[in-house]
Amino acid sequence: MATRLSIFPLPGAVLFPGLQLPLHIFEPRYRALVGDALVRDRRIAMIQPQKPVDGAPLFTVGCVGRIGEIEAMDDGRYNLILEGQSRFRVIRELDVTTAFRQVEAELIEDDENETLSYAQRGGFEAEARKFADRQGYSVDWDSVERLDDQSLINGVSQIAPFDPASKQALLEAENLSVRCELLVQLMQFFGRSDGGEEIMTLQ
């Protein structure tokens, strides 16, 4: 079923269901977006533009978030935590008079109970350890091992320092298993040392 969503197009920022995204809202149009969301359903749809320019075409898949914690400042800015609820697929962009863009979209029903095989989980954790070591990241692996599969794979997909196109591919992955396999490939690719050159685009 189609639904109308107000969007926040932000390059390099992806949100996954079940995860949180902190945002600092300062532009007038997005302050208007937050104000509108607060008096309606507290929903904001995060989606990446295909280019980092104003009014650029959108990618087809994003994630709807619900405003959780929020701090309204005296000058009209907001600090807020967006809580991921559901991925969505854009049907079309709407012609609107609001300062912020809106789309007609369909929500994607992901299997919240999907899990990885033991082999997949083990392979992913092994690759993640190698990637973290190569990048010099300090990771609490005991905490990682306690995460469920969804929190682990989606969490790494959201925070990993990959370029916007790679993050988009992770968001668009058909299911958790496919996303896990893609993550492993990306860690292998971005984790390569290339003569000391910086090959990762930090978001």
Side-chain angles (χ1 to χ4, degrees), residues 122-139 141 155-163 166-167 170 182-193 198-203:
F124 174 81
E125 288 191 14
E127 194 61 47
R129 284 174 184 268
K130 287 192 286 187
F131 181 77
D133 288 344
R134 285 193 296 256
Q135 301 302 318
Y137 296 152
S138 177
V139 178
W141 293 109
V156 174
S157 296
Q158 183 166 309
I159 67 171
F162 302 146
D163 63 276
S166 297
K167 306 264 271 199
L170 289 165
L182 179 57
L183 253 184
V184 168
Q185 293 170 11
L186 288 169
M187 287 190 294
Q188 291 171 342
F189 176 77
F190 282 100
R192 289 181 192 145
S193 174
E198 184 63 44
I199 62 167
M200 299 180 81
T201 305
L202 293 172
Q203 299 303 325

Side-chain angles (χ1 to χ4, degrees), residues 135-181:
Q135 301 302 318
Y137 296 152
S138 177
V139 178
D140 181 352
W141 293 109
D142 288 339
S143 295
V144 168
E145 289 173 3
R146 288 195 294 269
L147 290 173
D148 65 80
D149 293 344
Q150 299 254 358
S151 298
L152 175 63
I153 300 302
N154 290 343
V156 174
S157 296
Q158 183 166 309
I159 67 171
F162 302 146
D163 63 276
S166 297
K167 306 264 271 199
Q168 186 64 34
L170 289 165
L171 184 65
E172 293 182 9
E174 182 180 353
N175 54 45
L176 194 69
S177 178
V178 172
R179 185 170 299 131
C180 176
E181 292 175 10

Side-chain angles (χ1 to χ4, degrees), residues 110-125:
D110 288 311
D111 180 1
E112 297 178 2
N113 299 313
E114 185 187 0
T115 58
L116 302 174
S117 68
Y118 286 119
Q120 261 194 314
R121 172 83 184 220
F124 174 81
E125 288 191 14

Side-chain angles (χ1 to χ4, degrees), residues 64-81:
V64 181
R66 184 180 188 280
I67 297 172
E69 296 177 32
I70 185 165
E71 175 190 9
M73 302 182 185
D74 293 340
D75 60 4
R77 292 177 297 146
Y78 295 99
N79 286 322
L80 59 87
I81 302 292

